[in-house]
Amino acid sequence: MSRLEAKKPSLCKSEPLTTERVRTTLSVFKRIVTSCYGPSGRLKQLHNGFGGYVCTTSQSSALLSHLLVTHPILKILTTSIQNHVSSFSDCGLFTAILCCNLIENVQRLDLTPTTVIRLNKHLLSLCISYLKSETCGCRIPVDFGSTQILLCFVRSVLTSKPACMLTRKETEHVSALILRAFLLTIPENAEGHIVLGKSLIVPLKGQRVIDSTVLPGILIEMSEVQLMRLLPIKKSTALKVALFCTTLSGDISDTGEGTVVVSYGVSLENAALDQLLNLGRQLISDHVDLVLCQKVIHPSLKQFLNMHRIIAIDRIGVTLMEPLTKMTGTQPIGSLGSISPNSYGSVKDVCTAKFGSKHFFHLIPNEATICSLLLCNRNDTAWDELKLTCQTALHVLQLTLKEPWALLGGGCTETHLAAYIRHKTHNDPESILKDDECTQTELQLIAEAFCSALESVVGSLEHDGGEILTDMKYGHLWSVQADSPCVANWPDLLSQCGCGLYNSQEELNWSFLRSTRRPFVPQTCLPHEAVGSASNLTLDCLTAKLSGLQVAVETANLILDLSYVIEDKN
């Protein structure tokens, strides 16, 4: 068939970063993510012009999934961040802001992209090596035998998401629930390789946040009438469970383009029902106590099972199939033929529960590695944001279990790292360059652009016109309110650094962020007594932060290396 319209040639643009459109696009994106950053970040409402769902958020995962991006360069940036967030859940905004700052700062320098990229890689390697080293001054060990640091982790995630709309009391309550839910997923007698369980988040919208709770096992939502029809099971031993992933409705499956040959006088419906009842007789003879089905159970089979005091629950849904398999130890049954004895599992007990206006059938496990977090919030918008935040906090704890270290949060790691890089590049440039052909002058220029990008991330934490300072001993961040006097005694205005580890009563010297100052050596090797005495630290996940740092630098290098953008306009 001939084309109705002539094919348009592809549009080829050279040196894309030099065009005003690209610079403007990146600048707008940077302003969006920068304004969302931190505990006092501004919320964004995302919706289309035709109505429908409105998303109110300051989280990168929700923001980027609802943001329509058309420019190829911006697509590279957003895709890289989304890939990072899908793997690590945290530090998405940090990654986005740092990447934009790196691109912006480097463009002001009269250096070739090849030189910039090479030196950026050297500085990235320096950062990762330092943050992983024993001498790192912004890394602390995480002791899973104590809940103090773990609660700090969860609290840090919750307080950085203002759209959750939590009070201090609610934050403490939800933090404790998240930690308990996480600890329930760790097997009690784990040796060697640990396989974590799962925390299921059950929605209870319109309820008080303080009514949220955690229960071991799985909650299956049902109507009050359905629950009243279920017969109570009184048994001293574990209950035997059969889990079906196929329909037990008795419907004839779609034959597609084929045909079904039926003998004269044979009823397909009766034949299917007979097969279901035969299945029911096997379940009875195998002493099954509970039948769970992902899809529909035929009413006659349900009645038949209930007559023999077997609880039958259908329409479980695909979401609960994996947790049910893990918790009960069943193998999902996908046919109506003979059932292998190995397919059955068990639960410790069952009961009914009511929370708010909802009724649930509660499966209590033999070993509590699956739990249900009943999450309450005042409205749909706040609940959606809180659910996403709880998932992030749970994922952060899982990552920390694999690599039990934390980075100091609140911007202190970024300012400390910037001070360390400046000191290293000024006093020991040979160790960074090694056999590289780049000059020390080029290294100084790129290092300053790199440090300025890190400090700009920190500057994004302030949204109300306040000032940000750094001390000249630890290289930590300190915030000053906007209405503070211009000339003042800093210890009277400053209480704690951003992470909460140090207070202003120490003999410290401060300078404004981004002000000109001589490079200094930030104190390394955190004293254990300082960490142990701090009860309310702001912390970041080491694994997520390292990945975010790497993704930001590598994505910036990729965009800086672009010579042409070729778009197919057809």
Side-chain angles (χ1 to χ4, degrees):
M1 182 178 177
S2 60
R3 295 179 62 88
L4 298 177
E5 186 179 344
K7 190 174 181 180
K8 298 175 184 177
S10 297
L11 186 63
C12 182
K13 296 178 182 177
S14 63
E15 303 296 335
L17 286 179
T18 60
T19 64
E20 190 62 32
R21 181 193 167 202
V22 174
R23 289 174 183 261
T24 304
T25 301
L26 286 173
S27 177
V28 170
F29 178 75
K30 178 188 168 183
R31 288 202 300 271
I32 291 173
V33 292
T34 299
S35 62
C36 292
Y37 196 51
S40 60
R42 305 313 192 224
L43 307 184
K44 301 292 175 288
Q45 278 197 337
L46 298 104
H47 60 93
N48 61 49
F50 299 100
Y53 179 74
V54 177
C55 173
T56 304
T57 187
S58 64
Q59 298 195 51
S60 59
S61 54
L63 185 70
L64 296 180
S65 63
H66 289 88
L67 201 62
L68 180 62
V69 175
T70 56
H71 196 280
I73 290 181
L74 202 55
K75 277 185 178 180
I76 294 173
L77 178 54
T78 55
T79 302
S80 296
I81 299 164
Q82 285 177 302
N83 288 339
H84 161 78
V85 172
S86 66
S87 299
F88 299 94
S89 296
D90 202 17
C91 299
L93 291 175
F94 163 81
T95 306
I97 298 168
L98 179 58
C99 184
C100 291
N101 287 333
L102 285 170
I103 295 169
E104 190 177 278
N105 290 353
V106 165
Q107 284 183 289
R108 302 191 187 105
L109 304 177
D110 187 22
L111 295 176
T112 64
T114 305
T115 302
V116 170
I117 291 167
R118 188 185 301 151
L119 290 173
N120 272 345
K121 288 179 179 178
H122 286 315
L123 294 174
L124 174 63
S125 177
L126 175 67
C127 290
I128 292 176
S129 298
Y130 176 66
L131 292 175
K132 285 186 172 183
S133 69
E134 295 295 328
T135 60
C136 179
C138 50
R139 189 182 78 149
I140 62 172
V142 177
D143 178 13
F144 277 83
S146 169
T147 60
Q148 181 174 303
I149 293 293
L150 299 178
L151 279 172
C152 289
F153 250 126
V154 180
R155 196 185 299 117
S156 300
V157 175
L158 286 175
T159 53
S160 67
K161 308 296 186 287
C164 295
M165 302 185 214
L166 300 180
T167 64
R168 181 173 295 181
K169 182 180 178 182
E170 290 169 345
T171 300
E172 293 300 324
H173 180 67
V174 176
S175 297
L177 291 181
I178 292 172
L179 180 56
R180 187 184 170 207
F182 168 71
L183 294 175
L184 283 172
T185 64
I186 303 175
E188 291 182 9
N189 302 316
E191 294 182 5
H193 183 66
I194 298 176
V195 178
L196 295 178
K198 193 168 186 178
S199 299
L200 304 173
I201 297 179
V202 181
L204 285 174
K205 300 177 183 179
Q207 303 290 322
R208 299 184 309 161
V209 176
I210 213 73
D211 292 332
S212 302
T213 188
V214 173
L215 294 173
I218 294 176
L219 293 171
I220 300 173
E221 186 177 351
M222 302 177 71
S223 68
E224 187 177 5
V225 175
Q226 286 176 302
L227 280 178
M228 290 174 64
R229 290 175 182 167
L230 298 179
L231 299 172
I233 300 178
K234 294 181 180 180
K235 199 173 180 181
S236 58
T237 58
L239 306 179
K240 200 169 188 178
V241 179
L243 179 63
F244 288 88
C245 58
T246 187
T247 180
L248 300 179
S249 65
D251 293 338
I252 306 300
S253 59
D254 186 11
T255 60
E257 296 181 358
T259 57
V260 177
V261 179
V262 181
S263 302
Y264 178 75
V266 174
S267 169
L268 285 176
E269 290 78 9
N270 290 339
L273 183 56
D274 288 341
Q275 188 179 19
L276 289 175
L277 293 176
N278 287 334
L279 178 69
R281 293 185 186 96
Q282 183 182 352
L283 294 172
I284 294 166
S285 64
D286 289 342
H287 305 290
V288 172
D289 300 298
L290 178 62
V291 175
L292 303 172
C293 182
Q294 177 185 337
K295 300 178 181 177
V296 179
I297 300 177
H298 195 286
S300 297
L301 177 58
K302 259 189 184 179
Q303 185 180 12
F304 180 71
L305 294 173
N306 287 337
M307 286 171 56
H308 292 83
R309 307 195 69 80
I310 297 176
I311 293 179
I313 300 176
D314 60 355
R315 294 181 172 89
I316 298 295
V318 69
T319 306
L320 288 180
M321 289 301 290
E322 182 190 352
L324 282 169
T325 302
K326 280 186 176 181
M327 189 186 83
T328 61
T330 57
Q331 295 177 8
I333 302 164
S335 68
L336 304 182
S338 179
I339 302 173
S340 167
N342 297 329
S343 298
Y344 297 124
S346 66
V347 292
K348 183 179 181 180
D349 200 0
V350 294
C351 65
T352 60
K354 181 183 178 184
F355 297 95
S357 60
K358 292 187 177 183
H359 295 78
F360 298 94
F361 187 71
H362 185 192
L363 304 178
I364 303 172
N366 296 309
E367 184 183 0
T369 57
I370 303 290
C371 66
S372 297
L373 170 58
L374 287 108
L375 194 60
C376 308
N377 214 334
R378 303 167 188 82
N379 54 58
D380 289 1
T381 299
W383 188 89
D384 290 341
E385 188 79 353
L386 183 57
K387 177 192 175 185
L388 199 57
T389 305
C390 290
Q391 290 172 335
T392 299
L394 288 166
H395 195 184
V396 162
L397 290 171
Q398 291 170 359
L399 293 171
T400 307
L401 185 62
K402 295 179 183 177
E403 194 170 4
W405 293 91
L407 290 176
L408 298 175
C412 289
T413 289
E414 287 86 341
T415 52
H416 178 93
L417 193 58
Y420 174 78
I421 292 171
R422 284 195 177 100
H423 164 72
K424 196 76 174 173
T425 52
H426 277 80
N427 293 279
D428 191 14
E430 293 83 5
S431 66
I432 301 172
L433 291 173
K434 296 177 182 177
D435 297 329
D436 201 290
E437 296 176 358
C438 299
T439 65
Q440 291 188 18
T441 303
E442 291 170 335
L443 175 63
Q444 301 288 349
L445 289 171
I446 293 299
E448 189 54 41
F450 196 98
C451 294
S452 177
L454 283 171
E455 291 174 338
S456 294
V457 176
V458 172
S460 305
L461 290 168
E462 180 55 61
H463 301 278
D464 300 308
E467 291 288 351
I468 293 180
L469 289 76
T470 56
D471 67 82
M472 308 299 285
K473 180 179 180 181
Y474 305 109
H476 281 218
L477 171 146
W478 303 75
S479 295
V480 182
Q481 293 183 356
D483 55 355
S484 302
C486 297
V487 180
N489 186 24
W490 288 127
D492 296 337
L493 294 177
L494 304 172
S495 55
Q496 287 184 318
C497 66
C499 68
L501 186 61
Y502 300 112
N503 61 55
S504 60
Q505 301 309 309
E506 298 188 44
E507 294 183 1
L508 299 175
N509 294 316
W510 290 272
S511 67
F512 287 102
L513 188 71
R514 302 191 194 95
S515 62
T516 304
R517 56 185 180 271
R518 291 184 61 187
F520 66 96
V521 189
Q523 180 172 302
T524 57
C525 298
L526 283 173
H528 291 288
E529 58 273 11
V531 177
S533 61
S535 60
N536 195 15
L537 292 174
T538 300
L539 300 175
D540 286 330
C541 175
L542 172 67
T543 308
K545 202 65 172 268
L546 286 176
S547 172
L549 183 63
Q550 188 166 349
V551 169
V553 175
E554 290 178 352
T555 304
N557 283 348
L558 175 62
I559 292 173
L560 291 167
D561 201 29
L562 289 175
S563 296
Y564 290 91
V565 171
I566 303 171
E567 291 184 76
D568 187 357
K569 291 295 184 179
N570 295 288

